[in-house]
């Protein structure tokens, strides 16, 4: 019995150590500049994305982030969301081959976004998210690679420029990668109810709620009816028994 308990304790201890190691290693592996969409980033549409910048140093603060936009897939529309304490600048370059977006020819596209601290920093143990609206997303690729440079206030520059390869170990300084989903009908990266207006979605939601309420009401009504019928049945049965007893007594009295 003691041996069994000892083995269980050893297994539990080993499992705890393994889990702790995984957590620690995972935290280290994912502590880099990354990009994630708010919702869906569909091919041919527009998307809002967040560049997440963690501070990996214990003795320095991040004061600058430079993100290069993919030249092989130029983006005609790039706009930044204001971040308190940071100044954003979008650099544009003329295109060798103009783009056509919504029937208009676009002769230049954004090639880089630079955020510079102006009263704020990303201190040790902190992170900052920089939100950007991008479009029109290309339809001939499944991902966009954004190479980034992270500058600290001690003049150290970390180059997040290595493109991750499928099936290969993650590089030491991977570039942020935005995965693109299949194109949607409205080309706005919508969700499951793509193409439906907000009013239509609200009506559909309200109709669904009404249907559920109606079903609940019907179920409640059916349950109440069943209970009433059950009570009536019991009363009828009791009345029948009483009638039988009374009739039996009458027959006994009559024969006497």
């Amino acid at each position: 019995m003691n041996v069994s308990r000892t083995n269980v304790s050893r297994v539990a201890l080993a499992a705890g150590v393994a889990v702790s190691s995984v957590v620690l290693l995972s935290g280290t592996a994912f502590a880099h500049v990354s990009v994630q969409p708010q919702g869906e980033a569909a091919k041919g549409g527009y998307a809002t994305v967040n560049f997440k910048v963690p501070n990996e140093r214990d003795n320095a603060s991040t004061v600058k982030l430079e993100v290069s936009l993919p030249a092989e897939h130029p983006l005609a529309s790039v706009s930044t969301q204001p971040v308190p304490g940071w100044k954003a600048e979008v650099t544009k370059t003329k295109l060798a081959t103009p783009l056509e977006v919504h029937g208009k020819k676009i002769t230049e596209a954004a090639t880089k976004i630079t955020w510079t601290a102006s009263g704020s920093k990303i201190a040790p143990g902190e992170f900052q998210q920089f939100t950007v609206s991008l479009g029109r997303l290309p339809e001939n690729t499944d991902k966009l690679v954004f190479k980034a440079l992270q500058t600290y206030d001690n003049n150290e520059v970390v180059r997040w420029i290595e493109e991750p390869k499928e099936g290969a170990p993650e590089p030491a300084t991977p570039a942020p990668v935005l995965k693109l989903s299949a194109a949607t009908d409205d080309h706005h990266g919508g969700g499951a109810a793509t193409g439906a207006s907000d009013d239509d979605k609200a009506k559909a939601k309200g109709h669904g709620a009404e249907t559920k309420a109606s079903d609940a009401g019907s179920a409640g009504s059916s349950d109440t009816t069943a209970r009433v019928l059950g009570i009536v049945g019991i009363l009828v049965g009791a009345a029948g028994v009483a009638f039988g007893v009374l009739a039996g007594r009458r027959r006994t009295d009559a024969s006497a």
Side-chain angles (χ1 to χ4, degrees):
M1 191 69 174
N2 293 334
V3 174
S4 178
R5 289 180 179 178
T6 301
N7 289 337
V8 171
S9 299
R10 288 177 178 175
V11 171
L13 178 60
V17 172
V19 170
S20 299
S21 299
V22 169
V23 171
L24 290 174
L25 291 175
S26 297
T28 302
F30 288 96
H32 53 66
V33 176
S34 60
V35 59
Q36 292 294 332
Q38 291 184 6
E40 186 178 11
K43 298 178 182 179
Y46 295 79
T48 299
V49 303
N50 291 328
F51 287 95
K52 184 177 180 180
V53 185
N55 193 324
E56 295 187 314
R57 301 295 180 262
D58 296 328
N59 56 354
S61 298
T62 298
V63 293
K64 189 177 182 180
L65 176 69
E66 299 172 77
V67 175
S68 294
L69 307 179
E72 64 276 18
H73 300 294
L75 301 169
S77 176
V78 175
S79 57
T80 60
Q81 180 174 310
V83 178
W86 292 81
K87 179 183 177 181
E89 180 181 359
V90 178
T91 302
K92 294 185 177 182
T93 303
K94 286 194 175 183
L95 298 172
T97 303
L99 296 175
E100 187 170 338
V101 180
H102 300 304
K104 296 182 179 180
K105 285 188 176 182
I106 307 298
T107 59
E108 63 178 14
T111 54
K112 186 171 69 171
I113 308 174
T114 303
W115 287 273
T116 306
S118 58
S120 181
K121 297 180 180 181
I122 307 176
E126 298 180 348
F127 74 91
Q128 178 64 56
Q129 291 193 124
F130 299 96
T131 303
V132 182
S133 175
L134 303 173
R136 193 168 191 173
L137 300 177
E139 300 184 50
N140 58 348
T141 184
D142 294 325
K143 63 181 181 181
L144 291 177
V145 179
F146 301 90
K147 296 183 178 181
L149 302 181
Q150 181 179 8
T151 303
Y152 289 87
D153 56 8
N154 61 357
N155 295 323
E156 178 190 4
V157 178
V158 181
R159 301 168 62 84
W160 304 99
I161 62 174
E162 297 181 81
E163 183 175 349
K165 302 295 183 182
E166 187 174 353
E170 184 180 62
T173 53
V177 177
L178 177 65
K179 294 183 179 180
L180 305 180
S181 60
T184 57
D185 293 336
D186 63 352
H187 293 295
H188 283 81
T194 300
S197 66
D198 292 338
D199 290 339
D200 291 337
K201 293 177 184 177
K203 290 178 181 177
K205 185 176 180 181
H207 177 69
E210 291 173 1
T211 301
K212 290 182 180 178
S214 177
D215 292 342
S218 298
S221 176
S222 299
D223 185 54
T224 302
T225 302
R227 290 179 181 177
V228 172
L229 290 176
I231 293 172
V232 171
I234 292 172
L235 294 176
V236 170
V241 171
F243 180 80
V245 172
L246 181 61
R249 288 180 178 177
R250 287 179 178 176
R251 290 194 188 98
T252 302
D253 294 341
S255 60

